[in-house]
Coordinates of all heavy atoms in Angstrom, one line a residue:
M1 N 22.7 64.7 95.4 CA 22.6 64.3 94.0 C 22.8 62.8 94.0 O 23.6 62.2 94.6 CB 23.6 65.0 93.1 CG 23.5 64.7 91.7 SD 23.3 66.1 90.5 CE 22.4 67.4 91.2
N2 N 21.9 62.1 93.2 CA 21.9 60.6 93.1 C 23.0 60.1 92.3 O 23.2 60.5 91.2 CB 20.6 60.1 92.5 CG 19.4 60.0 93.5 OD1 19.7 60.2 94.7 ND2 18.3 59.6 93.0
K3 N 23.7 59.1 92.8 CA 24.7 58.3 92.1 C 24.0 57.5 91.0 O 23.0 56.8 91.3 CB 25.5 57.4 93.1 CG 26.5 56.5 92.4 CD 27.2 55.7 93.4 CE 28.0 54.6 92.7 NZ 28.9 53.9 93.6
L4 N 24.5 57.6 89.8 CA 23.9 56.8 88.7 C 24.4 55.4 88.6 O 25.6 55.2 88.9 CB 24.1 57.5 87.4 CG 23.5 59.0 87.3 CD1 24.0 59.6 86.0 CD2 22.0 58.9 87.3
S5 N 23.6 54.4 88.2 CA 24.1 53.0 88.1 C 24.9 52.9 86.8 O 24.8 53.8 85.9 CB 22.9 52.1 88.1 OG 22.2 52.2 86.8
S6 N 25.7 51.9 86.7 CA 26.5 51.6 85.5 C 25.7 51.6 84.2 O 26.0 52.3 83.2 CB 27.2 50.3 85.6 OG 28.5 50.5 86.1
P7 N 24.5 50.9 84.2 CA 23.7 50.9 83.0 C 23.2 52.3 82.6 O 23.1 52.6 81.5 CB 22.5 49.9 83.3 CG 23.0 49.1 84.5 CD 24.0 49.9 85.2
E8 N 22.8 53.0 83.7 CA 22.4 54.4 83.5 C 23.5 55.3 82.8 O 23.2 56.0 81.9 CB 21.9 55.1 84.8 CG 20.5 54.7 85.2 CD 20.2 55.2 86.7 OE1 21.1 55.2 87.5 OE2 19.1 55.5 86.9
I9 N 24.7 55.1 83.3 CA 25.8 55.9 82.8 C 26.0 55.5 81.3 O 26.2 56.3 80.5 CB 27.1 55.7 83.6 CG1 26.8 56.2 85.1 CG2 28.2 56.4 83.0 CD1 27.9 55.7 86.0
E10 N 26.1 54.2 81.1 CA 26.4 53.7 79.7 C 25.3 54.2 78.8 O 25.6 54.6 77.7 CB 26.4 52.1 79.7 CG 27.5 51.5 80.5 CD 28.9 51.8 79.9 OE1 29.0 52.3 78.7 OE2 29.9 51.7 80.6
A11 N 24.1 54.2 79.2 CA 23.0 54.6 78.3 C 23.1 56.1 78.0 O 22.9 56.5 76.8 CB 21.6 54.3 79.0
R12 N 23.5 56.8 79.0 CA 23.6 58.3 78.8 C 24.8 58.6 77.9 O 24.8 59.6 77.2 CB 23.7 59.0 80.1 CG 22.4 58.9 80.9 CD 21.4 59.9 80.3 NE 21.8 61.2 80.3 CZ 21.7 62.1 81.2 NH1 21.1 61.8 82.3 NH2 22.2 63.3 81.1
L13 N 25.9 57.8 78.1 CA 27.1 58.1 77.3 C 27.0 57.7 75.9 O 27.7 58.3 75.0 CB 28.3 57.4 77.9 CG 28.8 58.0 79.3 CD1 30.0 57.2 79.8 CD2 29.1 59.5 79.2
D14 N 26.2 56.8 75.5 CA 26.0 56.3 74.2 C 25.6 57.5 73.3 O 26.2 57.7 72.2 CB 24.9 55.3 74.0 CG 25.4 53.9 74.3 OD1 26.7 53.8 74.4 OD2 24.6 53.0 74.4
K15 N 24.8 58.4 73.8 CA 24.3 59.6 73.0 C 25.5 60.5 72.8 O 25.8 60.9 71.7 CB 23.2 60.3 73.7 CG 21.9 59.4 73.7 CD 20.8 60.2 74.4 CE 19.9 59.2 75.1 NZ 19.2 59.8 76.2
S16 N 26.1 60.9 73.9 CA 27.2 62.0 73.8 C 28.5 61.3 74.0 O 29.4 61.8 74.6 CB 26.9 63.0 74.9 OG 27.1 62.4 76.2
S17 N 28.7 60.2 73.3 CA 30.0 59.4 73.3 C 31.3 60.1 73.7 O 31.2 61.0 74.5 CB 30.1 58.7 72.0 OG 30.4 59.6 71.0
D18 N 32.4 59.7 73.2 CA 33.7 60.3 73.4 C 34.1 60.2 74.9 O 35.3 60.3 75.2 CB 33.7 61.8 73.0 CG 33.8 61.9 71.5 OD1 34.2 61.0 70.8 OD2 33.3 63.0 71.0
W19 N 33.1 60.1 75.8 CA 33.4 59.9 77.2 C 33.3 58.4 77.5 O 32.4 57.7 76.9 CB 32.4 60.7 78.1 CG 32.7 62.1 78.0 CD1 32.2 63.0 77.0 CD2 33.4 62.9 78.9 NE1 32.7 64.3 77.3 CE2 33.4 64.3 78.4 CE3 34.1 62.7 80.1 CZ2 34.0 65.3 79.1 CZ3 34.7 63.7 80.8 CH2 34.7 65.0 80.3
S20 N 34.1 57.9 78.4 CA 33.9 56.5 78.8 C 33.8 56.4 80.3 O 34.4 57.2 81.0 CB 35.1 55.6 78.2 OG 36.2 56.3 78.2
A21 N 33.1 55.4 80.7 CA 32.9 55.1 82.1 C 34.0 54.3 82.6 O 34.4 53.3 82.0 CB 31.6 54.4 82.4
L22 N 34.7 54.7 83.7 CA 35.8 53.9 84.3 C 35.5 53.9 85.8 O 35.7 54.9 86.5 CB 37.1 54.6 84.1 CG 37.7 54.7 82.7 CD1 38.9 55.6 82.7 CD2 38.1 53.3 82.2
G23 N 35.0 52.8 86.3 CA 34.7 52.7 87.7 C 33.7 53.7 88.1 O 32.6 53.8 87.4
D24 N 34.0 54.5 89.1 CA 33.0 55.5 89.6 C 33.3 56.9 89.0 O 33.0 57.9 89.6 CB 33.1 55.6 91.1 CG 32.3 54.5 91.8 OD1 31.3 54.0 91.2 OD2 32.6 54.2 93.0
T25 N 33.9 56.8 87.7 CA 34.2 58.1 87.1 C 33.8 58.0 85.6 O 33.6 56.9 85.1 CB 35.7 58.5 87.1 OG1 36.4 57.5 86.3 CG2 36.2 58.4 88.6
I26 N 33.7 59.2 85.0 CA 33.7 59.2 83.5 C 34.9 60.0 83.1 O 35.3 61.0 83.8 CB 32.4 59.8 82.9 CG1 32.1 61.2 83.4 CG2 31.2 58.8 83.1 CD1 30.9 61.8 82.7
S27 N 35.5 59.7 81.9 CA 36.6 60.5 81.5 C 36.7 60.6 79.9 O 36.1 59.8 79.2 CB 37.9 59.9 82.0 OG 38.2 58.7 81.3
R28 N 37.4 61.6 79.5 CA 37.6 61.8 78.1 C 39.0 62.5 77.9 O 39.3 63.4 78.7 CB 36.5 62.7 77.5 CG 36.8 63.0 76.0 CD 35.8 63.9 75.3 NE 36.3 64.2 74.0 CZ 35.7 65.0 73.1 NH1 34.6 65.6 73.4 NH2 36.3 65.3 71.9
T29 N 39.7 62.1 76.9 CA 41.0 62.7 76.5 C 40.7 63.6 75.3 O 40.2 63.2 74.3 CB 42.0 61.7 76.2 OG1 42.3 60.9 77.4 CG2 43.4 62.4 75.8
F30 N 41.1 64.9 75.4 CA 41.0 65.9 74.4 C 42.4 66.1 73.8 O 43.3 66.3 74.6 CB 40.5 67.2 74.9 CG 39.1 67.1 75.5 CD1 38.9 66.7 76.8 CD2 38.0 67.6 74.7 CE1 37.6 66.6 77.3 CE2 36.7 67.5 75.3 CZ 36.5 67.0 76.6
E31 N 42.5 66.2 72.5 CA 43.8 66.4 71.9 C 43.9 67.8 71.2 O 42.9 68.2 70.5 CB 44.1 65.3 70.8 CG 45.5 65.2 70.5 CD 45.9 63.9 69.7 OE1 45.4 62.8 70.0 OE2 46.6 64.1 68.6
F32 N 45.0 68.4 71.3 CA 45.2 69.8 70.8 C 46.4 69.8 69.9 O 47.2 68.9 69.8 CB 45.2 70.8 71.9 CG 44.0 70.8 72.7 CD1 43.8 70.0 73.8 CD2 42.9 71.6 72.3 CE1 42.7 69.9 74.5 CE2 41.7 71.6 73.1 CZ 41.6 70.7 74.1
K33 N 46.7 71.0 69.3 CA 47.8 71.1 68.4 C 49.1 71.1 69.2 O 50.1 70.6 68.7 CB 47.7 72.4 67.6 CG 47.0 72.2 66.3 CD 47.2 73.4 65.3 CE 46.0 74.2 65.2 NZ 45.9 75.6 65.0
N34 N 49.1 71.7 70.4 CA 50.3 71.8 71.2 C 49.9 72.0 72.6 O 48.8 72.1 73.0 CB 51.2 72.9 70.6 CG 50.4 74.3 70.5 OD1 49.7 74.6 71.5 ND2 50.4 74.9 69.4
F35 N 51.0 72.2 73.4 CA 50.8 72.4 74.9 C 50.0 73.7 75.2 O 49.1 73.7 76.1 CB 52.2 72.4 75.5 CG 52.2 72.6 77.0 CD1 51.7 71.6 77.9 CD2 52.7 73.8 77.6 CE1 51.7 71.8 79.2 CE2 52.7 73.9 79.0 CZ 52.2 72.9 79.8
I36 N 50.3 74.7 74.5 CA 49.7 76.0 74.8 C 48.2 75.9 74.6 O 47.4 76.4 75.4 CB 50.3 77.2 74.0 CG1 51.7 77.4 74.4 CG2 49.5 78.4 74.1 CD1 51.9 77.9 75.8
E37 N 47.8 75.3 73.5 CA 46.3 75.2 73.2 C 45.7 74.2 74.3 O 44.5 74.5 74.7 CB 46.1 74.7 71.8 CG 46.4 75.7 70.8 CD 45.8 75.5 69.4 OE1 45.0 74.5 69.3 OE2 46.2 76.2 68.5
A38 N 46.4 73.2 74.7 CA 45.9 72.3 75.7 C 45.7 73.1 77.0 O 44.6 73.0 77.6 CB 46.9 71.2 75.9
M39 N 46.6 74.0 77.3 CA 46.5 74.7 78.6 C 45.4 75.8 78.5 O 44.8 76.1 79.5 CB 47.9 75.3 79.0 CG 48.9 74.3 79.4 SD 48.3 73.2 80.7 CE 48.1 74.4 82.0
E40 N 45.2 76.3 77.3 CA 44.1 77.3 77.2 C 42.8 76.6 77.4 O 41.9 77.2 78.1 CB 44.2 78.0 75.8 CG 45.3 79.0 75.7 CD 45.6 79.5 74.3 OE1 45.0 78.9 73.3 OE2 46.4 80.4 74.1
F41 N 42.7 75.4 76.9 CA 41.5 74.6 77.2 C 41.3 74.3 78.7 O 40.3 74.5 79.3 CB 41.5 73.2 76.4 CG 40.4 72.3 76.8 CD1 39.1 72.5 76.4 CD2 40.7 71.1 77.5 CE1 38.1 71.6 76.7 CE2 39.7 70.2 77.8 CZ 38.4 70.5 77.4
V42 N 42.4 73.9 79.3 CA 42.4 73.7 80.8 C 41.9 74.9 81.5 O 41.1 74.8 82.5 CB 43.8 73.3 81.3 CG1 43.9 73.3 82.8 CG2 44.2 71.9 80.8
N43 N 42.4 76.1 81.1 CA 41.9 77.3 81.8 C 40.5 77.6 81.6 O 39.8 78.1 82.5 CB 42.8 78.5 81.4 CG 44.1 78.5 82.1 OD1 44.2 78.4 83.4 ND2 45.2 78.4 81.4
R44 N 39.9 77.3 80.4 CA 38.5 77.5 80.2 C 37.7 76.5 81.0 O 36.7 76.9 81.6 CB 38.1 77.3 78.7 CG 38.7 78.4 77.7 CD 38.0 78.3 76.4 NE 38.3 77.1 75.6 CZ 39.3 76.9 74.8 NH1 40.3 77.8 74.7 NH2 39.4 75.8 74.1
V45 N 38.2 75.3 81.1 CA 37.6 74.3 82.0 C 37.6 74.8 83.5 O 36.6 74.6 84.2 CB 38.2 72.9 81.8 CG1 37.8 71.9 82.9 CG2 37.9 72.4 80.4
A46 N 38.7 75.3 83.9 CA 38.9 75.8 85.3 C 37.9 76.9 85.6 O 37.3 76.8 86.7 CB 40.3 76.3 85.5
E47 N 37.7 77.8 84.7 CA 36.8 78.9 84.9 C 35.4 78.4 85.0 O 34.6 78.8 85.9 CB 36.9 79.9 83.7 CG 36.6 81.3 84.1 CD 37.1 82.2 83.0 OE1 38.3 82.2 82.6 OE2 36.3 83.0 82.5
H48 N 35.0 77.4 84.1 CA 33.7 76.8 84.2 C 33.5 76.1 85.5 O 32.5 76.2 86.2 CB 33.4 75.9 83.0 CG 32.1 75.2 83.1 ND1 30.9 75.9 82.9 CD2 31.8 74.0 83.4 CE1 29.9 75.1 83.0 NE2 30.4 73.9 83.3
A49 N 34.6 75.3 85.9 CA 34.5 74.5 87.2 C 34.2 75.4 88.4 O 33.4 75.1 89.2 CB 35.8 73.8 87.3
E50 N 34.9 76.6 88.4 CA 34.6 77.5 89.5 C 33.2 78.0 89.5 O 32.6 78.2 90.5 CB 35.6 78.7 89.4 CG 37.0 78.3 90.1 CD 36.8 78.0 91.6 OE1 36.7 79.0 92.4 OE2 36.9 76.8 91.9
E51 N 32.7 78.3 88.3 CA 31.4 78.9 88.2 C 30.3 77.9 88.7 O 29.4 78.3 89.4 CB 31.0 79.2 86.7 CG 31.5 80.6 86.3 CD 31.5 80.8 84.8 OE1 30.7 80.0 84.1 OE2 32.2 81.7 84.3
V52 N 30.5 76.6 88.4 CA 29.5 75.6 88.8 C 29.9 74.9 90.1 O 29.2 74.0 90.5 CB 29.2 74.6 87.6 CG1 28.6 75.4 86.4 CG2 30.4 73.8 87.3
Q53 N 31.1 75.2 90.6 CA 31.6 74.5 91.8 C 31.6 73.0 91.6 O 31.1 72.3 92.5 CB 30.8 75.0 93.1 CG 31.3 76.3 93.6 CD 32.8 76.3 94.0 OE1 33.2 75.6 94.9 NE2 33.6 77.1 93.3
H54 N 32.1 72.6 90.5 CA 32.3 71.2 90.3 C 33.6 71.0 89.5 O 33.8 71.6 88.5 CB 31.1 70.6 89.5 CG 31.0 69.1 89.5 ND1 30.9 68.4 90.7 CD2 31.1 68.2 88.5 CE1 30.8 67.1 90.4 NE2 30.9 67.0 89.1
H55 N 34.6 70.3 90.1 CA 36.0 70.4 89.7 C 36.5 69.0 89.2 O 36.5 68.0 90.0 CB 36.8 70.9 90.8 CG 36.4 72.2 91.4 ND1 35.4 72.3 92.3 CD2 36.7 73.5 91.0 CE1 35.2 73.6 92.6 NE2 36.0 74.3 91.8
P56 N 36.9 69.0 87.9 CA 37.4 67.7 87.4 C 38.8 67.4 87.8 O 39.5 68.3 88.2 CB 37.3 67.9 85.9 CG 37.6 69.4 85.7 CD 36.9 70.0 86.9
D57 N 39.2 66.2 87.8 CA 40.6 65.8 87.9 C 41.1 66.1 86.5 O 40.5 65.7 85.5 CB 40.8 64.3 88.2 CG 40.4 64.0 89.7 OD1 40.1 65.0 90.4 OD2 40.4 62.8 90.0
I58 N 42.3 66.7 86.4 CA 42.9 67.1 85.1 C 44.3 66.6 84.9 O 45.1 66.8 85.8 CB 42.9 68.6 85.0 CG1 41.5 69.2 85.1 CG2 43.5 69.0 83.6 CD1 41.4 70.8 85.1
L59 N 44.5 65.8 83.9 CA 45.8 65.3 83.5 C 46.3 65.9 82.2 O 45.6 65.8 81.2 CB 45.8 63.8 83.4 CG 47.1 63.1 82.9 CD1 48.2 63.3 84.0 CD2 46.8 61.7 82.6
V60 N 47.4 66.6 82.2 CA 48.0 67.2 81.0 C 49.2 66.4 80.6 O 50.1 66.2 81.4 CB 48.3 68.7 81.2 CG1 48.9 69.3 80.0 CG2 47.1 69.5 81.8
R61 N 49.2 66.0 79.3 CA 50.4 65.4 78.7 C 50.7 66.1 77.4 O 50.1 65.8 76.4 CB 50.1 63.9 78.4 CG 50.2 63.1 79.7 CD 50.4 61.6 79.3 NE 50.6 60.8 80.5 CZ 49.8 59.8 80.8 NH1 48.9 59.4 80.0 NH2 50.0 59.1 81.9
W62 N 51.5 67.1 77.4 CA 51.8 68.0 76.3 C 50.6 68.5 75.6 O 50.1 69.5 76.0 CB 52.8 67.3 75.3 CG 53.3 68.3 74.3 CD1 53.8 69.6 74.5 CD2 53.1 68.2 72.9 NE1 54.0 70.2 73.3 CE2 53.6 69.4 72.3 CE3 52.7 67.2 72.0 CZ2 53.6 69.6 70.9 CZ3 52.7 67.4 70.7 CH2 53.2 68.6 70.1
N63 N 50.1 67.8 74.5 CA 49.0 68.3 73.8 C 47.7 67.6 74.1 O 46.7 67.7 73.4 CB 49.3 68.2 72.2 CG 49.3 66.8 71.8 OD1 49.6 65.9 72.5 ND2 48.9 66.6 70.5
R64 N 47.7 66.8 75.2 CA 46.5 66.0 75.5 C 46.1 66.3 76.9 O 46.9 66.4 77.8 CB 46.8 64.5 75.3 CG 46.6 64.1 73.8 CD 46.7 62.6 73.7 NE 48.1 62.1 74.0 CZ 48.4 60.9 73.8 NH1 47.6 60.0 73.3 NH2 49.7 60.5 74.0
V65 N 44.8 66.5 77.1 CA 44.2 66.7 78.4 C 43.1 65.7 78.7 O 42.2 65.5 77.9 CB 43.5 68.2 78.4 CG1 42.9 68.4 79.7 CG2 44.5 69.2 78.0
T66 N 43.3 65.0 79.8 CA 42.3 64.0 80.2 C 41.5 64.6 81.4 O 42.1 65.0 82.4 CB 42.9 62.7 80.6 OG1 43.6 62.2 79.5 CG2 41.8 61.7 81.0
L67 N 40.2 64.7 81.2 CA 39.3 65.1 82.3 C 38.6 63.9 82.9 O 38.1 63.0 82.1 CB 38.2 66.1 81.8 CG 38.7 67.4 81.1 CD1 37.5 68.2 80.7 CD2 39.6 68.2 82.0
T68 N 38.7 63.8 84.2 CA 38.0 62.7 84.9 C 37.0 63.3 85.9 O 37.4 64.1 86.7 CB 39.0 61.8 85.6 OG1 40.0 61.3 84.7 CG2 38.4 60.6 86.3
L69 N 35.8 62.8 85.7 CA 34.7 63.4 86.5 C 34.0 62.4 87.5 O 33.8 61.3 87.1 CB 33.6 64.0 85.6 CG 34.0 64.9 84.5 CD1 32.8 65.3 83.6 CD2 34.6 66.2 85.1
S70 N 33.8 62.9 88.7 CA 32.9 62.1 89.6 C 32.4 63.1 90.7 O 33.0 64.2 90.8 CB 33.7 61.0 90.2 OG 34.5 61.4 91.2
T71 N 31.4 62.7 91.3 CA 30.8 63.5 92.4 C 31.1 62.9 93.7 O 30.6 61.8 94.0 CB 29.3 63.7 92.2 OG1 29.0 64.2 90.9 CG2 28.7 64.6 93.2
H72 N 32.1 63.5 94.4 CA 32.7 62.8 95.6 C 31.6 62.6 96.7 O 31.6 61.5 97.3 CB 33.9 63.6 96.1 CG 34.9 63.9 95.0 ND1 35.7 62.9 94.4 CD2 35.2 65.0 94.3 CE1 36.4 63.4 93.5 NE2 36.1 64.7 93.4
D73 N 30.8 63.6 96.8 CA 29.8 63.5 97.9 C 28.9 62.2 97.6 O 28.4 61.6 98.6 CB 28.8 64.7 97.9 CG 29.6 66.0 97.8 OD1 30.8 66.0 97.5 OD2 29.0 67.0 98.0
A74 N 28.6 61.9 96.4 CA 27.7 60.8 96.0 C 28.5 59.5 95.8 O 27.9 58.5 95.7 CB 26.9 61.2 94.8
G75 N 29.8 59.6 95.8 CA 30.6 58.4 95.6 C 30.5 57.8 94.2 O 30.6 56.6 94.1
G76 N 30.3 58.6 93.2 CA 30.2 58.1 91.9 C 29.7 59.2 90.9 O 29.9 60.4 91.1
V77 N 29.2 58.7 89.8 CA 28.8 59.6 88.7 C 27.4 60.1 88.9 O 26.5 59.2 89.1 CB 29.0 58.9 87.3 CG1 28.5 59.8 86.2 CG2 30.5 58.5 87.1
T78 N 27.2 61.4 88.8 CA 25.8 61.9 88.9 C 25.5 62.7 87.7 O 26.4 63.0 86.8 CB 25.6 62.8 90.1 OG1 26.4 64.0 89.9 CG2 26.0 62.1 91.4
E79 N 24.3 63.2 87.6 CA 23.8 64.2 86.6 C 24.8 65.3 86.4 O 25.1 65.8 85.3 CB 22.4 64.7 87.0 CG 21.7 65.4 85.9 CD 21.3 64.5 84.7 OE1 21.1 63.3 84.9 OE2 21.4 65.1 83.6
K80 N 25.3 65.8 87.6 CA 26.3 66.9 87.6 C 27.5 66.6 86.7 O 28.0 67.5 86.0 CB 26.8 67.1 89.0 CG 26.7 68.4 89.6 CD 27.2 68.5 91.0 CE 27.2 69.9 91.6 NZ 27.7 69.9 93.0
D81 N 28.0 65.4 86.7 CA 29.1 65.0 85.9 C 28.8 65.0 84.4 O 29.6 65.4 83.5 CB 29.7 63.7 86.3 CG 30.1 63.7 87.8 OD1 31.0 64.5 88.1 OD2 29.5 63.0 88.6
L82 N 27.6 64.5 84.1 CA 27.1 64.4 82.7 C 26.9 65.8 82.1 O 27.3 66.1 81.0 CB 25.9 63.6 82.6 CG 26.0 62.1 83.0 CD1 24.7 61.4 83.1 CD2 26.9 61.4 82.0
V83 N 26.4 66.7 82.9 CA 26.2 68.1 82.5 C 27.6 68.7 82.3 O 27.8 69.5 81.3 CB 25.4 68.9 83.5 CG1 25.4 70.4 83.3 CG2 23.9 68.3 83.5
F84 N 28.5 68.5 83.2 CA 29.9 69.1 83.1 C 30.6 68.5 81.9 O 31.3 69.3 81.2 CB 30.7 68.7 84.4 CG 32.0 69.6 84.5 CD1 32.0 70.7 85.3 CD2 33.1 69.2 83.7 CE1 33.1 71.5 85.3 CE2 34.2 70.0 83.8 CZ 34.2 71.2 84.6
A85 N 30.4 67.3 81.6 CA 31.0 66.7 80.4 C 30.5 67.4 79.1 O 31.4 67.7 78.2 CB 30.6 65.2 80.3
Q86 N 29.3 67.7 79.0 CA 28.8 68.4 77.9 C 29.4 69.8 77.8 O 29.7 70.3 76.7 CB 27.2 68.5 77.9 CG 26.6 67.2 77.6 CD 25.1 67.3 77.4 OE1 24.4 68.2 78.1 NE2 24.5 66.5 76.5
A87 N 29.5 70.5 78.9 CA 30.1 71.8 78.9 C 31.5 71.7 78.5 O 32.0 72.6 77.7 CB 30.0 72.4 80.3
A88 N 32.3 70.7 78.9 CA 33.7 70.6 78.5 C 33.8 70.4 77.0 O 34.6 70.9 76.4 CB 34.3 69.4 79.3
D89 N 32.9 69.5 76.5 CA 32.8 69.3 75.0 C 32.7 70.6 74.3 O 33.3 70.9 73.3 CB 31.7 68.4 74.7 CG 31.9 66.9 75.1 OD1 33.1 66.6 75.4 OD2 30.9 66.2 75.1
A90 N 31.8 71.5 74.8 CA 31.5 72.8 74.2 C 32.7 73.7 74.3 O 32.9 74.6 73.4 CB 30.3 73.4 74.8
L91 N 33.6 73.5 75.3 CA 34.7 74.4 75.5 C 35.9 74.0 74.7 O 36.9 74.7 74.6 CB 35.1 74.4 77.0 CG 34.2 75.1 77.9 CD1 34.6 74.9 79.4 CD2 34.1 76.6 77.6
R92 N 35.8 72.9 74.0 CA 36.9 72.4 73.2 C 37.3 73.3 72.1 O 38.4 73.5 71.8 CB 36.5 71.0 72.6 CG 37.8 70.3 72.1 CD 37.6 69.2 71.2 NE 38.9 68.6 70.8 CZ 39.8 69.2 70.1 NH1 39.6 70.4 69.7 NH2 41.0 68.6 69.9
R93 N 36.3 73.8 71.3 CA 36.5 74.7 70.2 C 37.2 74.2 69.0 O 38.2 73.5 69.2 CB 37.1 76.0 70.6 CG 36.1 76.9 71.4 CD 36.7 78.3 71.7 NE 36.0 78.9 72.8 CZ 36.5 79.8 73.6 NH1 37.8 80.2 73.4 NH2 35.8 80.3 74.6
Ligands
H2B1 N1 33.8 68.6 92.4 C1 33.7 67.3 92.2 N2 34.4 66.8 91.2 N3 33.0 66.5 93.0 C2 32.4 66.9 94.1 O1 31.7 66.2 94.8 C3 32.4 68.3 94.4 C4 33.2 69.1 93.5 N4 31.8 68.9 95.4 N5 33.3 70.4 93.7 C5 31.6 70.3 95.4 C6 32.8 71.0 94.9 C7 31.2 70.7 96.8 O2 32.2 70.5 97.7 C8 30.7 72.1 96.8 C9 30.1 72.4 98.2 O3 29.8 72.3 95.8

């Protein structure tokens, strides 16, 4: 899978904002009512990650979950990460 350039990533993120490019990754912080709801989201994300065999870095801080995506094989952000970002957005509920 091709690594996308910074301008390509920025252009793609403008449309589906909420995600920001940070170095060779994209990330978004999702906020929930409490820790349990945050963890339920994490579990939905985990199930999806297994299905597509693409696994985000996940940081949980009580009611906030930060997902950080990159494609290690490509050494940066690829289409795979942008597709995963949209799926994660849909799992937010
Ligand atoms: N997840 C992430 N975030 N980046 C990868 O490059 C990656 C992955 N590679 N999950 C996948 C697994 C690869 O090892 C398998 C073979 O698809």
Side-chain angles (χ1 to χ4, degrees):
M1 186 125 326
N2 274 358
K3 175 178 167 172
L4 301 172
S5 70
S6 269
E8 279 172 324
I9 297 166
E10 294 296 343
R12 292 288 301 273
L13 289 181
D14 275 350
K15 291 180 216 155
S16 62
S17 65
D18 288 333
W19 289 81
S20 32
L22 290 171
D24 278 336
T25 70
I26 56 172
S27 70
R28 176 180 173 185
T29 299
F30 297 80
E31 199 170 313
F32 299 89
K33 269 193 250 147
N34 54 47
F35 180 69
I36 293 297
E37 289 197 8
M39 290 307 296
E40 286 168 354
F41 173 70
V42 166
N43 281 306
R44 291 196 295 276
V45 168
E47 212 164 304
H48 178 72
E50 276 296 285
E51 275 166 20
V52 299
Q53 280 299 300
H54 196 58
H55 304 87
D57 290 354
I58 303 174
L59 173 68
V60 179
R61 283 199 176 124
W62 186 54
N63 69 331
R64 281 187 291 187
V65 178
T66 301
L67 300 182
T68 301
L69 308 176
S70 76
T71 304
H72 307 291
D73 315 11
V77 176
T78 68
E79 192 64 33
K80 234 181 174 178
D81 299 301
L82 296 169
V83 169
F84 194 99
Q86 287 191 326
D89 288 343
L91 290 172
R92 196 199 180 292
R93 284 184 202 156

